[in-house]
Amino acid sequence: MISFEDLILAPLYLFVIIGIARLIKSNNINKYPEYKYFVKGLWFKIIGVSAFISIYLFYYGGGDTTAYFRGAKCLGNLLVQDFSKGFAVLFNTNSYENSYSTFNSQTGFPYYSYFINENTFLVCRLSAPLYLLGSKSFLITSFLTAVFSFVGMWKFFRILNILYPGNSKIFAYIVLFMPSLAFWGGGIMKDSYMLGATCWVTYSFYHILIAREKIFWNVCFLILNVIMILNCKPYLLISLVPGLLFWLNNSYLKNIKNTIIRVLVFPALILILTASGALIFNGLSDSMGVYGSIDGAIKKAQITQDDLLREWHYGGNNYKLDRIDGSISGLLSSGPLAVFTALFRPLPWEIGSPTMVVSAIENTILFLFVLYTLIRIGPFRFFRITFNDPFLVYCLVFSLFFAFGVGIAGTNFGALVRYKIPLMPFFFSLVYIVRRKSIFQLKK
């Protein structure tokens, strides 16, 4: 998988990547001091993906990331051999050329089980251009995937510094230097693309509807990232939309200084945004497949839960929640434990493999930090501060929705530590900001 040529080319690509990063830093650091973490954060991401590659190649002997690369390689070869056919597959068109039979012995064949699953094969589609840009190297393609993920994370880091200036060092630790985000969110995997896309959606949404600046490019990037999420992990979008609508609603209310007018406007805004949310989901329901309806989403959760219990594929690091019985009440009854599981597990005594050691240590530190915060300021004050800040409401709603979905459907710690990474920068930024607000008055 890694050849001698890779080892020669990789330092050259890293030289270019870091050189561009240094240029971006020098062009922005005088205006935005937090750019002092730009190059360091990118280096940490590169180290994380290097560790990820090493573990998957030399410990597991392969895995999903190599299967995704195989699909990207076949598609990249197809684009070079016959661009029209490659274009049809790359953009998943309705053309008859968008089929498994389009591949041949010269291009190679992706795994059929990956190709027929559109959500899964999207990773191969996204990675194919990076494969060509990266000189057809697995190592360099992984580096470029990590760069995309990092850009999205950086966007979220910038939002935190815009809204809460003076806390860039802590935000850097929470977002840029979190070990799990660097390790699981860097390789050629769904999780890397979804982490970057989720953070980028937040950034674009803020600039379009809250700050109302740089609208054209942010609309373009918002659409691209939403399409990416919709075609890879639609349930992530289900978690994002309610939080974004709450953020928008509360931001507009905060701008109304007159209390009487605010009280009068509040029901109208709730009605408008609720209707907007319903229209968004209705418009996207066909594109969301099984997630387009409640019954379909519950059925998919049952299938995912059963799939993750296959020890021969995922290992035996399973955790036990109530089996999904197909009812909404059954889902809700498992909600608190599912949310706790997604946020803080695996714990130290639940370590089942070497790759879980860092996650368990990280989770323990984060759990103690959250527990200390809740004890120090009290649950009531915690939620009062949260609901008085539109951005924090967004972080809370997204984190709880996503944690519930991931925790309830999953049964395997090995998969859980990957699936949950999109929520981590949101939730732990929320806890830190609330704690700081309880002690000092942050600028907003």
Side-chain angles (χ1 to χ4, degrees):
M1 189 62 68
I2 297 180
S3 65
F4 178 74
E5 288 77 8
D6 292 338
L7 299 178
I8 298 297
L9 288 172
L12 298 177
Y13 272 82
L14 284 178
F15 179 80
V16 173
I17 291 170
I18 298 301
I20 294 172
R22 290 184 181 277
L23 181 62
I24 293 172
K25 173 186 172 182
S26 64
N27 288 339
N28 290 277
I29 193 166
N30 291 332
K31 189 175 182 180
Y32 307 110
E34 62 267 23
Y35 268 85
K36 64 184 176 181
Y37 297 108
F38 190 76
V39 176
K40 294 177 183 178
L42 182 56
W43 266 122
F44 192 77
K45 192 73 168 181
I46 295 295
I47 293 170
V49 73
S50 300
F52 176 85
I53 291 169
S54 300
I55 291 292
Y56 265 78
L57 290 185
F58 305 119
Y59 179 75
Y60 289 126
D64 287 343
T65 189
T66 56
Y68 286 128
F69 177 73
R70 174 173 168 171
K73 177 180 179 180
C74 297
L75 179 51
N77 292 339
L78 182 62
L79 283 165
V80 173
Q81 183 187 90
D82 189 325
F83 183 77
S84 65
K85 291 181 179 180
F87 182 89
V89 177
L90 179 65
F91 290 97
N92 195 25
T93 68
N94 293 323
S95 169
Y96 70 93
E97 293 180 330
N98 180 23
S99 68
Y100 192 75
S101 61
T102 298
F103 296 95
N104 54 63
S105 58
Q106 283 74 43
T107 63
F109 293 90
Y111 290 112
Y112 184 71
S113 60
Y114 280 61
F115 181 80
I116 61 174
N117 187 321
E118 292 185 2
N119 297 142
T120 297
F121 199 68
L122 178 70
V123 178
C124 304
R125 292 188 170 98
L126 294 172
S127 303
L130 302 182
Y131 163 78
L132 296 175
L133 184 62
S135 299
K136 303 182 178 182
S137 162
F138 170 71
L139 185 60
I140 298 171
T141 304
S142 297
F143 286 163
L144 295 177
T145 306
V147 170
F148 170 81
S149 179
F150 174 77
V151 170
M153 293 168 61
W154 179 260
K155 297 292 185 182
F156 184 74
F157 176 69
R158 286 281 296 119
I159 285 291
L160 294 175
N161 283 277
I162 290 170
L163 296 178
Y164 313 100
N167 296 272
S168 60
K169 183 176 182 179
I170 299 300
F171 290 147
Y173 284 121
I174 292 174
V175 180
L176 305 180
F177 302 124
M178 182 85 72
S180 289
L181 300 184
F183 183 83
W184 296 112
I188 307 172
M189 302 284 279
K190 287 182 179 180
D191 315 287
S192 303
Y193 288 109
M194 292 301 97
L195 172 62
T198 302
C199 292
W200 207 326
V201 164
T202 302
Y203 177 87
S204 296
F205 181 88
Y206 168 80
H207 281 288
I208 296 166
L209 293 171
I210 308 298
R212 294 188 288 277
E213 59 186 17
K214 303 176 183 177
I215 292 177
F216 176 77
W217 286 112
N218 280 292
V219 167
C220 293
F221 286 119
L222 178 66
I223 292 172
L224 289 173
N225 283 287
V226 166
I227 290 173
M228 193 184 305
I229 294 171
L230 187 62
N231 286 278
C232 190
K233 290 191 175 183
Y235 63 84
L236 217 171
L237 201 59
I238 296 175
S239 303
L240 273 172
V241 170
L244 291 172
L245 291 177
F246 271 110
W247 186 9
L248 184 63
N249 176 73
N250 290 357
S251 293
Y252 286 159
L253 284 177
K254 290 275 286 186
N255 290 331
I256 300 174
K257 304 302 180 183
N258 188 296
T259 304
I260 296 175
I261 296 177
R262 188 185 305 172
V263 171
L264 293 174
V265 168
F266 179 74
L269 276 177
I270 289 292
L271 182 62
I272 292 171
L273 292 174
T274 301
S276 300
L279 287 173
I280 291 172
F281 280 115
N282 185 59
L284 296 176
S285 60
D286 291 339
S287 302
M288 297 177 75
V290 296
Y291 296 101
S293 67
I294 294 177
D295 290 341
I298 293 175
K299 182 64 177 177
K300 179 62 176 178
Q302 288 178 301
I303 294 171
T304 302
Q305 188 180 67
D306 292 337
D307 177 62
L308 291 174
L309 286 170
R310 293 182 298 156
E311 294 188 6
W312 63 269
H313 186 79
Y314 293 99
N317 303 320
N318 296 325
Y319 61 87
K320 302 297 182 183
L321 293 180
D322 292 337
R323 297 299 298 275
I324 299 172
D325 60 7
S327 68
I328 296 178
S329 61
L331 284 175
L332 294 178
S333 65
S334 300
L337 181 56
V339 170
F340 178 86
T341 296
L343 292 177
F344 303 116
R345 296 173 72 184
L347 295 168
W349 55 87
E350 296 173 319
I351 296 173
S353 68
T355 57
M356 293 169 59
V357 173
V358 173
S359 293
I361 295 172
E362 187 179 83
N363 288 341
T364 301
I365 294 172
L366 295 173
F367 172 71
L368 293 175
F369 173 61
V370 173
L371 184 63
Y372 171 77
T373 300
L374 289 174
I375 293 174
R376 177 74 180 270
I377 68 176
F380 176 78
R381 191 178 181 194
F382 179 93
F383 287 106
R384 181 171 59 82
I385 294 173
T386 298
F387 284 103
N388 198 41
D389 185 320
F391 178 75
L392 297 184
V393 173
Y394 162 57
C395 289
L396 179 65
V397 172
F398 167 66
S399 298
L400 293 181
F401 270 62
F402 191 68
F404 173 76
V406 170
I408 202 72
T411 57
N412 182 274
F413 284 126
L416 177 68
V417 294
R418 293 191 288 109
Y419 290 172
K420 73 178 186 177
I421 61 171
L423 71 83
M424 294 182 70
F426 291 83
F427 182 73
F428 295 109
S429 295
L430 157 70
V431 176
Y432 169 74
I433 293 166
V434 170
R435 182 176 179 275
R436 289 287 294 175
K437 279 197 166 192
S438 71
I439 301 172
F440 305 104
Q441 185 63 42
L442 285 178
K443 293 180 181 179
K444 181 72 169 67

